[in-house]
């Protein structure tokens, strides 16, 4: 980003009020236009352009446009216009075009620096003041620390093989671009989303310590300003604006095994058999690029004879198959997909707007489907049905930045032409949208083919809103400890940016994992939303059993824990779908007022009740853990801890430090070898008394789209204390027509002495202490489920 010199950037200033309505005000000057509007009490929109009209095309990110508005006072004085709601105020100065957002107490949330903001020949820029101690989060996919203050991030989706983030400096580019920042200042959270998919560069206080400088290569200023004050308010609204994750099929919460590549049908079947023989639960096996015939998309090569028979055989063993789908279509005139794509005029054009652009990816010379075009998306979706008909259950959209080996820029030329749903766009303007629109083509294609099946789409690239179409993983990391540590903050910031369904390649992709690294990464993967082990071609095997018996036993145990936790996780997914609340959350999600919770980027919350403190360093057998206010229990040993302090958790290789909040109700199911193996009829409710807690129990059929029309089962369960250490569990009446599959609730008491049943080993139980997985705690009570309200006293 070039340094500011005032005068280069022409602000839209000397404004005159054109119109004021109930929800908006528009202003003009000879420099351009400004429009402010109120979408909700805590959400303003600010648009600025140097052109004569605002861009008429609809946003690619925003999915909600029908805001009912909010009670607001909109006023104009001699020096400014403003919108005031109960939550805060947005004001724009008429003379210089500077603007400010304040909270309900008048404290500044954002303030622009007009002399450093404005428009130039090649783009527009917005400079904001940064206050001392203001912390910044979100930004989608980033490397480096959790707090993004001090980072320079360029939003330009890039194939960054082996993103050596924490080893070197933070990377400027990654696969996913989400220009959404969350600011935490004096205990209050606010958010800013600049909806502009052009190449953007954000400097969050690096070149100038007190400035948040944003620059876009083209387009207009289109800011959504979120007033908070809680981070949940900001993320809730952001995901209301840009969409929330659809519910995945329940099997997608299981453990998944991938490899670049399992190169033959025989090898895939051997892998599947080995999982079952070794009793390591697994739901999904991935087919990477070697399954194709010469990397021709949607085909199977000679080493995969009778693919339909293969998927059927795997299905009988409880496995789903997910296949990789790259956008580049081999430029082979005899290839049916190419022929039909040509007939549909579905490919991105070269600069002349006529000839298709031909680049190079895995298949060699390739053309690139124009996913920004509705007809092209439909064509692609129809091609994809061939995989679905062969029994492929999910689509892994890779290389969709898009990657292009033909050029040093590693993507399409800026001047390529897309024929989008709303007119032509150069690739420079469309680039960041490509991945999202590919995922959209994939999801919509899957739904068009099987309208009642929940699709599973995984995408590497994306822009704001991509969460509506697919889940994301963090791309090509390496089997190094630094990338294990980075995976934590990457997933947390993705989660804060609306992408609640995310994960990293467990074990690391490039390079060779050690048994210890695989064990630690599997422990982390088991408690992240997307749990997939994946490794690069020519690395040593990385399956749970590949690195010796000790690592295998640990992997098995944590994969089993994952399956035990599925009922809890599914409730969290339902919540993410309904409200945008991430599954994996930074500590400050729940403890925003606590500066220590803000600093901790090596531990996180899984839902409201679990605190995870993964081991992220080689050789570590203990670590400091910060427990926020309240009371906490060691999940494994039942040991109690006071909050608001650091403790040392013992963590021999077998132990992932895991803590539970007093008051927690954690629903757990049995270990299964795959999700649909059994439908648990008895659900254990593990309770840790000594505090209040609640559980939003959620069930549906786990497979169809019926949840969208309300065929779900919900009930609120609460825990409170009574007298000395006892607890009361209350079940509200059930809601929703879906009949619960739960026959009985089994309450497992996890507080105090009774927990000793499962807490055979103390925290310092030696290097091979085995975390118990199926016999934790003591059964306090068991009773039949009911749709009616009920109450149970325990102890
Ligand atoms: C890319 C993907 C990786 C995949 C490989 C081969 O590098 O990020 O996951 O295995 O391509 O398809």
């Amino acid at each position: 980003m070039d340094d500011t010199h005032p005068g280069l950037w022409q602000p839209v200033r000397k404004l005159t009020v054109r119109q004021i309505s109930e929800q908006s005000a528009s202003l003009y000057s000879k420099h351009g236009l400004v429009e402010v509007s109120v979408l909700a009490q805590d959400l303003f929109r600010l648009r600025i352009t140097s052109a004569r009209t605002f861009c008429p095309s609809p946003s690619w990110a925003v999915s909600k446009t029908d805001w009912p508005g909010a009670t607001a006072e909109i006023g104009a004085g001699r020096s400014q216009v403003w919108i005031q709601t109960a939550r805060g105020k947005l004001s724009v100065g008429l003379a210089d075009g500077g603007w400010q957002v304040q909270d309900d107490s008048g404290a500044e949330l954002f303030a622009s620096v007009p002399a450093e903001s404005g428009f130039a020949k090649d783009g527009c820029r917005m400079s904001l003041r940064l206050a001392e101690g203001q912390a910044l989060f979100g930004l989608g996919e980033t490397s480096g620390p959790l707090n993004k203050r001090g980072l320079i991030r360029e939003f330009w989706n890039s194939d960054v093989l082996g993103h050596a983030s924490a080893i070197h400096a933070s990377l400027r580019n990654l696969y996913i671009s989400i220009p959404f920042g969350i600011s935490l200042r004096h205990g209050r959270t606010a958010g800013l989303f600049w909806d502009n998919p052009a190449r953007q560069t954000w400097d969050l206080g690096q070149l100038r310590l007190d400035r948040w400088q944003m620059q876009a290569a083209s387009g207009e200023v289109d800011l959504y300003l979120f007033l908070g004050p809680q981070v949940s308010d900001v993320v809730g609204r952001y995901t209301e604006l840009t969409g929330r994750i659809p519910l995945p099929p329940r099997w997608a919460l299981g453990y998944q095994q991938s490899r670049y590549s399992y190169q033959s049908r025989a090898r895939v079947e051997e892998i599947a058999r080995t999982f079952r023989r070794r009793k390591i639960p697994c739901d999904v096996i991935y087919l990477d690029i070697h399954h194709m015939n010469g990397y021709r998309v949607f085909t199977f090569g000679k080493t995969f004879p009778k693919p339909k028979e293969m998927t059927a055989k795997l299905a009988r063993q409880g496995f789903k198959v997910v296949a990789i789908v790259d956008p580049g279509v081999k430029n082979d005139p005899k290839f049916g997909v190419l022929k039909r794509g040509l007939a549909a005029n579905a490919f991105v054009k070269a600069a002349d707007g006529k000839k298709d652009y031909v680049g190079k990816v895995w298949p060699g010379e390739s053309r690139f489907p124009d996913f920004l075009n509705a007809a092209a998306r439909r064509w692609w979706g129809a091609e994809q049905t061939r995989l679905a008909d062969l029994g492929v259950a999910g689509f892994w959209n890779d290389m969709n930045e898009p990657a292009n080996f033909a050029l040093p820029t590693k993507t399409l030329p800026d001047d390529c032409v897309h024929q989008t749903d709303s007119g032509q766009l150069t690739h420079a303007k469309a680039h960041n949208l490509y991945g999202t629109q590919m995922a959209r083509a994939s999801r919509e294609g899957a739904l068009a083919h099987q309208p009642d099946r929940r699709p599973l789409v995984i995408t590497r690239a994306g822009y704001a809103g991509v969460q509506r179409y697919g889940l994301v993983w963090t791309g090509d990391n390496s089997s190094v400890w630094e990338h294990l540590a980075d995976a934590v903050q990457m997933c947390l910031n993705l989660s804060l940016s609306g992408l609640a369904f995310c994960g990293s390649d467990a074990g690391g992709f490039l390079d060779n994992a050690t048994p210890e690294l695989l064990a630690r990464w599997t422990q982390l993967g088991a408690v992240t939303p997307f749990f997939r082990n994946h490794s690069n071609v020519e690395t040593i095997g990385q399956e749970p059993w590949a690195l010796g018996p000790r690592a295998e036993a640990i992997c098995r145990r944590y994969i089993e824990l994952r399956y035990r936790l599925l009922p809890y996780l599914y409730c969290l997914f339902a919540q993410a779908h309904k409200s945008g609340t991430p599954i994996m959350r930074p500590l400050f999600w729940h403890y925003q007022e606590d500066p220590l919770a803000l600093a901790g980027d090596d531990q996180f919350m899984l839902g409201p009740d679990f605190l995870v403190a993964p081991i992220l360093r080689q050789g570590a057998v203990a670590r400091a853990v910060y427990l926020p206010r309240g009371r906490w229990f060691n999940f494994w040993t039942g040991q109690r801890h006071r909050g608001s302090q650091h403790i040392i958790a013992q963590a021999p290789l077998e132990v992932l430090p895991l803590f539970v909040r007093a008051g927690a109700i954690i629903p757990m199911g049995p270990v299964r070898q795959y999700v649909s193996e059994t439908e648990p009829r008895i659900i254990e409710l593990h309770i840790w008394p000594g505090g209040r807690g609640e559980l939003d129990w959620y069930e549906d059929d786990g497979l169809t789209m019926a949840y969208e029309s309300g065929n779900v089962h919900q009930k609120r369960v609460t825990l409170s204390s009574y007298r000395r250490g006892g607890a009361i569990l209350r079940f509200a009446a059930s809601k929703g027509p879906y009949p619960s599959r739960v026959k009985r609730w089994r309450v497992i008491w996890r507080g105090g002495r009774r927990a000793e049943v499962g807490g055979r080993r103390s925290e310092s139980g030696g290097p091979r202490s085995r975390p118990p997985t199926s016999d934790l705690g003591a059964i306090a009570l068991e009773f039949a489920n009911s749709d009616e309200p009920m109450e149970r006293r325990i102890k």
Side-chain angles (χ1 to χ4, degrees):
M1 183 185 298
D2 73 68
D3 205 0
T4 312
H5 77 89
L8 177 66
W9 300 96
Q10 293 298 330
V12 177
R13 60 198 167 93
K14 293 195 177 154
L15 292 157
T16 306
V17 177
R18 171 175 285 159
Q19 203 189 350
I20 293 200
S21 70
E22 263 179 36
Q23 306 290 323
S24 66
S26 49
L27 316 168
Y28 70 98
S29 81
K30 67 175 187 188
H31 306 284
L33 305 172
V34 174
E35 190 178 271
V36 289
S37 49
V38 53
L39 308 184
Q41 295 271 317
D42 55 353
L43 177 56
F44 297 130
R45 184 178 182 192
L46 169 65
R47 298 179 83 179
I48 311 173
T49 179
S50 60
R52 283 161 176 230
T53 54
F54 287 110
C55 170
S57 318
S59 161
W60 295 87
V62 165
S63 60
K64 176 172 169 130
T65 48
D66 57 334
W67 294 86
T71 312
E73 180 203 315
I74 304 199
R78 289 221 326 227
S79 62
Q80 54 170 230
V81 294
W82 66 87
I83 305 181
Q84 172 89 56
T85 70
R87 289 286 186 84
K89 182 175 178 184
L90 165 64
S91 49
V92 180
L94 299 179
D96 62 7
W99 56 272
Q100 200 185 19
V101 179
Q102 293 159 293
D103 69 13
D104 53 356
S105 70
E108 176 182 303
L109 295 174
F110 299 113
S112 76
V113 184
E116 299 167 14
S117 305
F119 291 78
K121 196 164 56 14
D122 43 6
C124 44
R125 177 187 180 104
M126 187 52 70
S127 183
L128 307 180
R129 283 203 290 263
L130 269 183
E132 174 125 23
Q134 185 174 353
L136 299 166
F137 303 93
L139 278 78
E141 192 176 41
T142 53
S143 55
L146 180 68
N147 178 353
K148 296 300 159 199
R149 178 91 187 235
L151 180 84
I152 295 184
R153 179 70 165 87
E154 195 173 84
F155 296 114
W156 183 254
N157 292 351
S158 304
D159 176 14
V160 277
L161 184 71
H163 49 78
S165 61
I167 304 179
H168 307 296
S170 292
L171 287 178
R172 287 198 177 197
N173 295 99
L174 277 160
Y175 313 88
I176 297 172
S177 293
I178 306 201
F180 168 55
I182 297 172
S183 149
L184 221 162
R185 189 169 173 174
H186 308 306
R188 295 184 80 96
T189 307
L192 178 155
F193 169 44
W194 185 351
D195 187 9
N196 184 341
R199 185 193 288 259
Q200 286 197 45
T201 310
W202 286 21
D203 177 342
L204 303 162
Q206 189 178 106
L207 292 178
R208 270 201 68 171
L209 304 181
D210 59 351
R211 288 287 186 276
W212 172 349
Q213 302 178 76
M214 299 172 279
Q215 197 168 309
S218 61
E220 57 193 38
V221 174
D222 190 358
L223 300 180
Y224 291 86
L225 300 157
F226 304 85
L227 273 60
Q230 295 298 314
V231 61
S232 50
D233 300 324
V234 173
V235 175
R237 277 282 185 235
Y238 172 75
T239 53
E240 188 179 358
L241 181 74
T242 60
R244 294 176 177 144
I245 61 163
L247 271 179
R250 196 157 35 210
W251 53 261
L253 275 61
Y255 174 76
Q256 321 201 11
Q257 184 64 49
S258 185
R259 169 85 175 159
Y260 171 22
S261 300
Y262 294 125
Q263 299 206 7
S264 66
R265 173 174 167 178
R267 180 74 179 133
V268 169
E269 290 178 356
E270 185 188 338
I271 293 290
R273 270 197 312 276
T274 312
F275 271 102
R276 296 299 178 244
R277 183 162 50 79
R278 291 179 179 264
K279 293 234 170 310
I280 299 173
C282 180
D283 264 88
V284 191
I285 300 191
Y286 281 68
L287 304 180
D288 205 325
I289 53 176
H290 288 99
H291 77 277
M292 291 179 271
N293 170 16
Y295 303 134
R296 287 171 184 80
V297 63
F298 303 126
T299 66
F300 279 87
K302 277 205 218 67
T303 57
F304 280 83
K306 301 192 183 155
K308 193 167 184 171
E309 191 184 87
M310 174 187 78
T311 56
K313 186 169 166 191
L314 290 170
R316 287 195 294 278
Q317 295 167 278
F319 287 99
K320 302 282 188 285
V321 172
V322 170
I324 199 163
V325 176
D326 288 338
V329 177
K330 190 174 176 71
N331 196 24
D332 164 4
K334 294 204 210 96
F335 180 30
V337 175
L338 185 89
K339 287 200 259 182
R340 290 185 293 275
L342 289 171
N345 194 22
F347 296 108
V348 176
K349 301 281 178 258
D352 67 2
K354 294 191 183 99
K355 284 201 288 307
D356 290 353
Y357 173 76
V358 180
K360 205 169 166 196
V361 213
W362 303 122
E365 274 198 359
S366 306
R367 299 185 200 225
F368 296 84
D370 190 356
F371 294 115
L372 281 80
N373 179 284
R377 285 197 298 275
R378 278 195 297 276
W379 157 70
W380 187 257
E383 296 290 347
Q384 187 182 264
T385 60
R386 202 157 329 108
L387 289 184
D389 288 340
L390 291 173
V392 170
F395 310 102
W396 170 22
N397 289 187
D398 190 25
M399 307 294 276
N400 54 351
E401 295 69 34
N404 176 17
F405 304 154
L407 294 175
T409 58
K410 295 180 75 179
T411 190
L412 307 189
D414 276 358
D415 56 8
C416 274
V417 179
H418 295 257
Q419 203 61 55
T420 84
D421 301 348
S422 45
Q424 276 194 357
L425 275 188
T426 60
H427 186 69
K429 294 183 179 172
H431 176 81
N432 283 337
L433 299 167
Y434 194 84
T436 303
Q437 295 307 308
M438 180 181 185
R440 177 182 179 184
S442 188
R443 179 173 172 83
E444 290 176 353
L447 278 171
H449 184 51
Q450 293 174 310
D452 202 29
R453 284 270 149 209
R454 295 181 198 177
L456 186 76
V457 175
I458 298 138
T459 178
R460 191 170 73 173
Y463 176 65
V466 64
Q467 67 271 14
R468 306 199 292 271
Y469 307 115
L471 70 101
V472 297
W473 92 106
T474 59
D476 297 340
N477 55 13
S478 298
S479 296
V480 295
W481 290 89
E482 289 82 354
H483 283 186
L484 170 61
D486 209 25
V488 175
Q489 76 75 26
M490 285 184 95
C491 290
L492 288 173
N493 277 307
L494 282 165
S495 296
L496 289 174
S497 309
L499 281 65
F501 198 3
C502 59
S504 65
D505 283 347
F509 176 69
L510 299 164
D511 305 325
N512 299 309
T514 60
E516 186 188 356
L517 183 69
L518 178 64
R520 292 306 193 188
W521 215 319
T522 305
Q523 291 173 348
L524 174 68
V527 286
T528 52
F530 178 53
F531 185 18
R532 183 185 74 156
N533 171 316
H534 181 49
S535 60
N536 193 21
V537 69
E538 285 167 8
T539 58
I540 58 172
Q542 199 173 275
E543 295 76 21
W545 57 84
L547 297 172
R550 187 173 179 195
E552 176 180 350
I554 295 169
C555 290
R556 178 184 297 104
R557 213 163 279 138
Y558 284 88
I559 295 172
E560 286 179 354
L561 175 68
R562 169 73 171 204
Y563 281 77
R564 295 271 278 131
L565 288 176
L566 284 179
Y568 179 64
L569 287 169
Y570 200 61
C571 295
L572 295 179
F573 270 80
Q575 207 183 26
H577 166 68
K578 260 189 299 184
S579 63
T581 302
I583 295 150
M584 182 176 168
R585 313 162 186 178
L587 262 54
F588 69 81
W589 185 277
H590 294 287
Y591 306 94
Q592 186 168 303
E593 71 300 336
D594 179 348
L596 287 175
L598 201 63
D601 63 0
D602 58 353
Q603 45 182 80
F604 62 91
M605 304 294 296
L606 178 66
D609 294 321
F610 269 114
L611 187 150
V612 184
I615 298 296
L616 305 169
R617 286 174 190 274
Q618 182 165 17
V621 289
R623 61 159 287 175
V625 178
Y626 179 65
L627 298 174
R629 73 179 139 74
R631 276 189 276 168
W632 297 85
F633 291 87
N634 181 308
F635 176 77
W636 304 112
T637 65
Q639 188 179 344
R640 285 166 197 250
H641 298 280
R642 253 185 320 105
S644 303
Q645 61 160 342
H646 282 87
I647 61 159
I648 300 293
Q650 300 301 320
L653 192 53
E654 280 71 15
V655 175
L656 164 71
L658 206 50
F659 297 85
V660 189
R661 206 180 54 77
I665 312 165
I666 309 278
M668 289 173 71
V671 171
R672 288 171 271 175
Q673 295 306 300
Y674 51 97
V675 166
S676 60
E677 189 184 26
T678 50
E679 195 165 24
R681 295 306 171 123
I682 299 178
I683 293 291
E684 295 175 359
L685 294 175
H686 290 240
I687 60 166
W688 283 264
R692 289 176 172 278
E694 55 195 38
L695 163 71
D696 281 315
W697 176 251
Y698 177 86
E699 282 176 76
D700 62 21
D701 64 36
L703 210 57
T704 76
M705 299 300 290
Y707 73 96
E708 288 215 316
S709 42
N711 193 16
V712 304
H713 180 95
Q714 286 166 291
K715 86 167 105 217
R716 162 78 45 116
V717 187
T718 51
L719 183 72
S720 49
S721 308
Y722 85 94
R723 277 180 286 145
R724 282 207 234 121
I728 307 175
L729 203 53
R730 288 197 181 86
F731 296 72
S734 305
K735 283 194 255 167
Y738 183 78
S740 174
R741 297 297 194 261
V742 180
K743 291 273 171 276
R744 301 181 72 74
W745 300 105
R746 180 176 291 162
V747 178
I748 311 283
W749 182 265
R750 300 291 298 274
R753 250 171 280 131
R754 288 204 201 178
E756 294 304 313
V757 176
R760 288 166 306 191
R761 312 282 171 143
S762 74
E763 273 187 89
S764 49
R768 291 210 177 222
S769 73
R770 303 170 84 230
T773 53
S774 54
D775 55 353
L776 293 159
I779 300 174
L781 204 56
E782 195 178 303
F783 46 91
N785 190 16
S786 160
D787 286 341
E788 304 302 320
M790 13 178 221
E791 186 177 306
R792 289 287 184 281
R793 282 176 179 238
I794 306 153
K795 209 173 173 184

